[in-house]
Structure formats: C-alpha cells, structure tokens
Amino acid sequence: MQALQAIAAIENVENPTRRRRQKVYQKRFDPFSLPDIEFKRRYRFSKDTARFIINLVRQDLQLDSRGCGTSPELQVLTAIRCWGRREVQEDGGDLHGLSQPTVSRICARVARAIARHSATYIKMPQTLIEQQTVIREFQEIRNFPSVLGCIDCTHIKIKKYGGDAAQYYINRKGFYSMNVQVTCDAKLRIRDIVARWRGSTHDSRIFNESTLKERFERGDFKGRLLGDSGYRLERYLFTPILRPQNAREENYNRAQIATRNCVERCFGVWKQRFQSLLYGVTVHMHNVKPTIVALAVLHNIAIDQQDPVPENDGNVHIVQEDDSAAHSNEAGRGRMGNSAFLRAFIDQHFS
C-alpha cells in the first residue's frame, strides 16, 4: 500500500499539469418542449401561466454564483407536478433527473417563495367599488343581497404527527389533518385563508379567533358573509335556519344554500387542480402551512389567468365533508341574540 502511494506521489510530481477531473452536469429534459395539452396534463397549468408563476418567484430561486444547480423553471415545475399529480417525490424526481431529497428541498423552497406573495393574491375587497362588484356577482346567483364572501373549513390530510400534541391533529373522521378556513367570492377566488389550526378544532373557533372576524366587527366591510350552521349567527354572518316555519324562511334557506355553494365549488376546483390537498400533504409539519398558502395563491393566479383545471381529470372524485351538524350545537348558543335581526332581513328581502 505504501509503495502504491509513493508511486502516485511521484506521478503527481512528474505531471504538475495534471488536473482534477471536472464534474459533468447531466443535461435535463426541458418540459416546455412538450405539446401544450401534454404540458398542462403534467403540470396543471398552461405554458403561459407556468411562465408567469416562474417569473413571479424567479428572484427567490436563482442559481448560485457558480451557475450550477436546478434552474428556477425546473424547480417550479417539479414542485407543481408533485403537488398537482399526487406523485410521491421520488417519482417526481425520477422524471426530472433529481434525487428525492433534492425534490423535497425544492418543494419547500418553491412553496415559501410563492407564499410570500399571498398578500398580493389573497385579500378581501378593499375599496367600496371592489366590494360592490363582489356583492353584485353574488346577487346574480340567487338574488341574495349584500354578500361579500362565503366561508367554510376543509380538512387537509397530513402525515401522522408525533408527540404529546398528536391527538389534537386527529379530526372527527379519525385521520390527521389541518382544518383550513377559506373565504371565497362568487368567482371561486380565495379571498381569505387561515391554515394554522389542528384537525380537531371546530370551525366556529377558527373564525372567532381570526383577523377576518375582527375586521367585520370593526366595520371594515359593507357586506356580510354566508356560512353553514356550524357558525354562530351574526349581523355580518348569516347561517341557514335549522327549522324554517314559513315560505319566507324556506325561500331564504334556498337562496342562502345556493349562494353559499360557491365555497364548496371552490374547494372542489382547488383540490382537483392540486390533488395533494385531496389525498394528503406529505411534507414536514413546518412546511405544511406555506404549502397550503402557496397552493391558494396558485389557485387565484389560475383564475386571474383564466386557466381552467385540466379537462382529463374527470376521474377524480371529490367528496366535500360537511361538519355543520357536528358543530351546530356549539354555534347554536349564540343564535337567539341576532334572530330578530335575521327575521327583519328575511321579511324585507324574501317576502
């Protein structure tokens, strides 16, 4: 062994110009070379929308100073494929020539880069003109006046959570989840999102401790929200009447439910585009919230770009959970205080 080392040392002295072999980077496949239909099937967006998203976060995903690594284009498309196609990270990595740990880091990095733009793409109507536009769009559905948003919660499945707090992540259906509150408009655009509560938390508690409720109580908005019977009846949040007594109340219920259906449709479109929301977000817990918020931003970008969900996803069956019955007793304690206000509203608009 010593003799071999001595020979190698002599060869290095005799050949001072001998250099270390340079690392060769494998040329990766360009997804934009795919036909438009195949590209959208794989990456959930059209090429134009994908380029818009890439340019939005390009500065946060730049290559290092040596010029090596994964390009912003491939980072974004790899993350979107993992989120949208219900693919495990190993499969997504194999398709793009990346290792599973690299794909995991890319998904976390891209999610945080997109989530930083949430204040731009997820916001309630600000000006009076914006609020009037949203109210008019809702009224066109079933002539329900003064609706600024529809609110509900949906459970996003997560990996099994360990430790003493694990039991709090188990929802009433028995799986680990985050209970995510969403408020949307008539165009199914997500206007507000709360993605920090564990699966066992009641919908009404999430709203009661939200900034959105504080803003409505301060009078920041001229309209009101529509929610299911899991929420407490407020002057700014109307819920269905559990036992209607006359035709006016039945008319109110029909209009309320038909208008509130926007948030159920919003969940359906959101989860159909990103099937990881339907089948489970398998990232580490500290990356769950940025991922959910990032997917909400991407959902709104798709609406802005008029980029519909791929048509060949009809085999995806989405069953939206209904927690209103489970939470109605908790929310019902506050119904009586505002029932007179609701009756006056019904008499005025649903006679």
Side-chain angles (χ1 to χ4, degrees):
M1 183 66 180
Q2 292 179 349
L4 293 175
Q5 292 176 347
I7 293 173
I10 293 172
E11 289 179 349
N12 288 335
V13 172
E14 293 177 349
N15 299 281
T17 60
R18 184 177 180 181
R19 297 179 180 179
R20 181 181 299 177
R21 186 174 61 182
Q22 293 183 349
K23 186 174 182 180
V24 177
Y25 292 94
Q26 182 180 2
K27 185 177 181 179
R28 296 189 175 113
F29 170 71
D30 179 15
F32 285 101
S33 65
L34 291 168
D36 292 346
I37 296 177
E38 180 64 17
F39 181 91
K40 185 163 186 176
R41 187 187 69 83
R42 292 190 183 188
Y43 299 104
R44 323 306 293 158
F45 297 100
S46 68
K47 290 182 180 180
D48 289 341
T49 305
R51 291 190 180 98
F52 178 89
I53 296 167
I54 292 166
N55 291 331
L56 183 69
V57 296
R58 183 180 296 278
Q59 294 300 319
D60 295 319
L61 305 176
Q62 286 291 350
L63 303 177
D64 60 31
S65 59
R66 296 171 297 176
C68 58
T70 308
S71 67
E73 288 81 2
L74 196 55
Q75 289 186 60
V76 171
L77 294 178
T78 298
I80 289 176
R81 184 169 179 106
C82 290
W83 297 330
R85 294 283 296 168
R86 192 193 168 192
E87 292 182 349
V88 296
Q89 293 177 352
E90 290 180 354
D91 293 340
D94 290 343
L95 291 169
H96 298 98
L98 303 169
S99 67
Q100 187 276 328
T102 299
V103 173
S104 179
R105 291 191 295 270
I106 285 174
C107 288
R109 189 181 185 191
V110 173
R112 293 182 182 278
I114 295 173
R116 292 190 188 103
H117 297 272
S118 60
T120 301
Y121 289 95
I122 304 176
K123 58 184 178 181
M124 293 293 291
Q126 302 296 316
T127 67
L128 182 59
I129 294 177
E130 291 176 341
Q131 294 181 43
Q132 290 174 342
T133 299
V134 173
I135 288 172
R136 184 175 61 255
E137 291 170 348
F138 271 118
Q139 194 160 2
E140 291 174 354
I141 298 175
R142 284 297 294 271
N143 202 32
F144 202 110
S146 304
V147 179
L148 198 59
C150 295
I151 186 170
D152 201 0
C153 289
T154 185
H155 287 273
I156 306 299
K157 187 178 181 180
I158 60 174
K159 294 195 302 184
K160 183 177 180 180
Y161 188 81
D164 297 335
Q167 58 182 322
Y168 301 112
Y169 287 90
I170 302 176
N171 60 33
R172 69 185 185 90
K173 293 191 175 181
F175 61 86
Y176 292 85
S177 71
M178 300 292 289
N179 197 6
V180 180
Q181 176 181 282
V182 166
T183 303
C184 78
D185 61 21
K187 302 297 185 183
L188 311 187
R189 182 184 177 91
I190 296 176
R191 291 287 186 167
D192 185 80
I193 187 169
V194 181
R196 63 185 179 88
W197 288 91
R198 297 172 288 196
S200 63
T201 310
H202 288 192
D203 295 2
S204 57
R205 182 186 175 188
I206 297 175
F207 178 70
N208 288 339
E209 300 192 24
S210 68
T211 303
L212 184 63
K213 179 180 180 180
E214 294 178 2
R215 296 183 66 188
F216 271 97
E217 291 188 339
R218 285 200 309 262
D220 291 356
F221 305 111
K222 300 301 181 182
R224 59 176 53 86
L225 300 173
L226 296 185
D228 62 23
S229 57
Y231 292 97
R232 171 174 171 160
L233 174 64
E234 304 283 357
R235 289 174 176 260
Y236 50 80
L237 198 166
F238 279 5
T239 60
I241 296 176
L242 296 181
R243 290 176 291 276
Q245 302 296 319
N246 52 54
R248 290 192 300 273
E249 293 181 352
E250 291 176 354
N251 291 337
Y252 163 83
N253 266 7
R254 283 192 288 268
Q256 201 269 1
I257 293 171
T259 307
R260 196 185 76 235
N261 182 254
C262 288
V263 71
E264 306 293 341
R265 291 165 49 215
C266 174
F267 289 149
V269 173
W270 191 29
K271 292 183 178 182
Q272 189 172 354
R273 186 181 295 273
F274 302 109
Q275 295 178 27
S276 60
L277 296 173
L278 180 62
Y279 297 105
V281 177
T282 58
V283 300
H284 193 277
M285 180 57 68
H286 66 266
N287 290 323
V288 170
K289 179 181 177 180
T291 299
I292 294 173
V293 173
L295 297 184
V297 171
L298 293 179
H299 169 82
N300 285 351
I301 289 176
I303 293 176
D304 290 345
Q305 299 291 321
Q306 298 181 357
D307 193 349
V309 177
E311 295 180 357
N312 58 351
D313 283 349
N315 59 334
V316 179
H317 182 58
I318 299 175
V319 178
Q320 177 60 35
E321 67 275 6
D322 183 5
D323 289 338
S324 59
H327 302 329
S328 59
N329 290 335
E330 178 187 5
R333 292 195 295 268
R335 294 186 186 281
M336 297 304 296
N338 291 304
S339 59
F341 180 84
L342 178 59
R343 284 197 299 270
F345 175 85
I346 293 173
D347 291 340
Q348 179 180 358
H349 297 286
F350 294 94
S351 56

